[in-house]
Amino acid sequence: MSTDETVISCSIDGALARIGIQRPDKRNALATRHWAAIEAALGTVAASAAQVLVLSGVPGAFSAGADIDELGQLLAAPEAFAANNAQVQRTQLTLQRLPQTTVAVIDGACVGGGLGLALACDLRLASGRSRFAITPAKLGLVYSADDSRRLVNTVGMARAREMLLTGRLLDAATALDWGLVNQLAGEGELEALEQAQLQQLLATSGQARRAIKTVLGHLGGDASLSAAQAEAAFNDAFSSRDFAEGAAAFLEKRAPRFS
C-alpha cells in the first residue's frame, strides 16, 4: 500500500523532469494532500533548468480522480470542500502555466480530476487500454470554468458538451479521434512513444517552446497573459540566442545546438 510520502514523486535529470503518481491501491485517486504535493513538485520543476516535464501514473491508472474516502468526509465539511476545490484548481493552473513543456503519459484510467490534470499538460500520450471521462454531472456537480475551457480548447465545444453533459466514458481510439490525446501507442509501446516524443521536443529550442506557450496561453483564454505579452514573445524571439543558433545551423546545414 502506498503511503502519503511515496504517492507523489519528483525527479530532475538535466533537461528532463518527472512527476509520478503512485497510488495503485486507489487507482491513483487524489486527495487534497496529494494535489498539494503535486503543486509543490511543480514549483520545484519551475525553478529548475529542466526543459520538459513528464507526468505519469502507474500501469493501469493515470488517475481515477477524487479520493472517494475523502469525498465522503468533505461532504460533511463545506469549508474543507471549498479548500479542496481551490487546491485542485490551483494545482491545475500551476501546471498549465508551467514554463516547461509538459507531457502527460497515460496508461489506463484517466477520469475526473485525473483528466483535468492531463488537460493542463501541453501534450498527452496514451496506451490503447486508457479510458477517459469527466463525470461531475453524475454527482450533481459542475466542472469549473478553467477546467471546461481546457476541455473546449482541446476537443471543441460540441464534444465538450457531450462529455460534460453525459459523463460518457471514451475509449482510447475515440479519445485520439477527438483530439483528447495527441498520440496513441500500440500494445507495449507506450515507453517507446514517450521516448520518441521527448527526443522530438528536446531537439527544438526551449526558449521558443516557452514563448509558444505564452502565445497559446493567451489565445486559449488565460487571463494572466495579455495580447501585449503574446506579441512580445513573438518579437523577442528574433533577437534571441536560440534564433541566432537556429538560423546559423540552417544555413550551415547542420543540427542546431540550442542553449
Side-chain angles (χ1 to χ4, degrees), residues 8 21 26-32 34-35 38 42 55 61-68 70-71 81 84-85 87-93 95 104 106 109-121 124 131-137 139 141-144 146-148 150-151 163-164 180:
I8 306 302
I21 307 170
K26 295 287 188 178
R27 298 178 69 220
N28 277 1
L30 298 170
T32 305
H34 303 131
W35 286 101
I38 294 172
L42 290 171
L55 179 64
F62 180 75
S63 173
D67 183 318
I68 298 301
E70 184 188 52
L71 184 61
F81 212 145
N84 170 267
N85 287 336
Q87 178 66 71
V88 171
Q89 292 182 49
R90 186 168 61 247
T91 301
Q92 292 178 347
L93 197 58
L95 177 56
I106 302 161
C110 186
V111 177
L115 182 49
L117 198 60
L119 285 167
C121 290
R124 285 162 295 282
R131 298 293 182 268
F132 306 83
I134 301 171
T135 57
L139 297 174
L141 298 175
V142 180
Y143 219 35
S144 75
D146 281 339
D147 282 312
S148 298
R150 292 185 196 103
L151 181 63
M163 291 187 70
L164 292 172
L180 193 60

Side-chain angles (χ1 to χ4, degrees), residues 110-112 115 130-139 143 151 155 158-178 180:
C110 186
V111 177
L115 182 49
S130 298
R131 298 293 182 268
F132 306 83
I134 301 171
T135 57
K138 292 186 175 182
L139 297 174
Y143 219 35
L151 181 63
V155 301
R159 284 169 170 165
R161 285 181 188 276
E162 181 173 350
M163 291 187 70
L164 292 172
L165 294 173
T166 69
R168 174 182 172 183
L169 184 69
L170 304 183
D171 60 25
T174 303
L176 179 66
D177 182 56
W178 285 20
L180 193 60

Side-chain angles (χ1 to χ4, degrees), residues 9-227:
S9 63
C10 179
S11 64
I12 299 172
D13 183 7
L16 180 61
R18 292 184 180 274
I19 293 177
I21 307 170
Q22 300 158 347
R23 201 185 186 199
D25 51 307
K26 295 287 188 178
R27 298 178 69 220
N28 277 1
L30 298 170
T32 305
R33 61 190 182 276
H34 303 131
W35 286 101
I38 294 172
E39 183 185 22
L42 290 171
T44 299
V45 174
S48 75
Q51 293 189 36
V52 177
L53 167 65
V54 172
L55 179 64
S56 62
V58 296
F62 180 75
S63 173
D67 183 318
I68 298 301
D69 292 336
E70 184 188 52
L71 184 61
Q73 299 169 14
L74 294 176
L75 288 171
E79 291 185 1
F81 212 145
N84 170 267
N85 287 336
Q87 178 66 71
V88 171
Q89 292 182 49
R90 186 168 61 247
T91 301
Q92 292 178 347
L93 197 58
T94 300
L95 177 56
Q96 175 191 308
R97 292 174 174 171
L98 199 75
Q100 287 88 352
T101 304
T102 54
V103 182
V105 178
I106 302 161
D107 180 33
C110 186
V111 177
L115 182 49
L117 198 60
L119 285 167
C121 290
D122 299 312
L123 300 169
R124 285 162 295 282
L125 312 178
S127 70
R129 65 176 173 177
S130 298
R131 298 293 182 268
F132 306 83
I134 301 171
T135 57
K138 292 186 175 182
L139 297 174
L141 298 175
V142 180
Y143 219 35
S144 75
D146 281 339
D147 282 312
S148 298
R149 184 182 301 111
R150 292 185 196 103
L151 181 63
V152 170
N153 286 344
T154 303
V155 301
M157 181 62 79
R159 284 169 170 165
R161 285 181 188 276
E162 181 173 350
M163 291 187 70
L164 292 172
L165 294 173
T166 69
R168 174 182 172 183
L169 184 69
L170 304 183
D171 60 25
T174 303
L176 179 66
D177 182 56
W178 285 20
L180 193 60
V181 298
N182 298 93
Q183 296 186 68
L184 193 60
E187 185 175 355
E189 296 178 351
L190 184 58
E191 184 176 351
L193 178 61
E194 175 191 332
Q195 292 304 314
Q197 181 72 90
L198 293 176
Q199 191 172 35
Q200 285 182 324
L201 288 170
L202 292 173
T204 64
S205 161
Q207 290 180 359
R209 282 187 276 104
R210 290 180 185 227
I212 288 167
K213 287 191 66 166
T214 296
V215 174
L216 294 179
H218 167 65
L219 293 175
D222 188 336
S224 73
L225 296 171
S226 66

